[in-house]
Amino acid sequence: MSNIPSELKYASSHEWVRNEGDGIVTVGITEHAQELLGDMVFVELPEVGDTVDTGDDVAVAESVKAASDIYAPVSGEIVEVNEELEDSPELVNSDAYGDGWMFKVKLSDEGELGNLLDAEGYENSIEE
């Protein structure tokens, strides 16, 4: 069973969202998603300053098994990316909810957070 922290929100496309409380959220992929992908070999991140809409493909996680698009779980502006992933993509595997974060978004509509799944909802979605 994958670890699904209760304090995070989730998109059904396997991204997690941590509300930093200042209109900015941190985004990564779930432990379940990284387990499905396997060992990461490359992560392509968005550019700081990019504007994204919910559902846009904004990044790519490439593993030994496959390349997978990472979708924006919320709309807003990319304000920071995890540059450590350029040299150490395996951080996504070793610490999906910590050092393996991917990018931060300044929300254009905080109400979108209400559209995301809670931990129980996400757990139910991956059991189906």
Side-chain angles (χ1 to χ4, degrees):
M1 176 56 65
S2 296
N3 177 27
I4 304 173
S6 60
E7 70 274 17
L8 303 178
K9 294 287 203 171
Y10 300 89
S12 58
S13 50
H14 308 294
E15 292 82 13
W16 58 260
V17 176
R18 177 185 302 118
N19 187 351
E20 303 297 349
D22 52 4
I24 294 176
V25 297
T26 301
V27 178
I29 64 170
T30 65
E31 189 173 289
H32 175 74
Q34 67 83 19
E35 287 173 353
L36 291 175
L37 288 168
D39 294 338
M40 292 292 156
V41 294
F42 181 74
V43 178
E44 181 183 323
L45 297 169
E47 297 287 325
V48 172
D50 284 355
T51 301
V52 298
D53 289 321
T54 302
D56 285 355
D57 56 340
V58 295
V60 177
E62 192 172 325
S63 71
V64 293
K65 292 182 182 175
S68 181
D69 289 332
I70 308 299
Y71 300 98
V74 292
S75 301
E77 180 185 347
I78 304 294
V79 293
E80 188 176 347
V81 298
N82 186 355
E83 294 177 358
E84 288 190 43
L85 295 180
E86 291 178 15
D87 294 328
S88 304
E90 68 275 8
L91 289 172
V92 175
N93 297 113
S94 64
D95 193 7
Y97 299 112
D99 291 340
W101 66 276
M102 294 189 168
F103 54 89
K104 295 184 179 187
V105 178
K106 182 172 178 52
L107 298 168
S108 59
D109 177 4
E110 290 196 36
E112 289 184 4
L113 294 175
N115 298 333
L116 297 171
L117 298 168
D118 61 15
E120 183 179 350
Y122 179 69
E123 184 174 3
N124 290 336
S125 78
I126 62 176
E127 289 176 351
E128 292 175 358

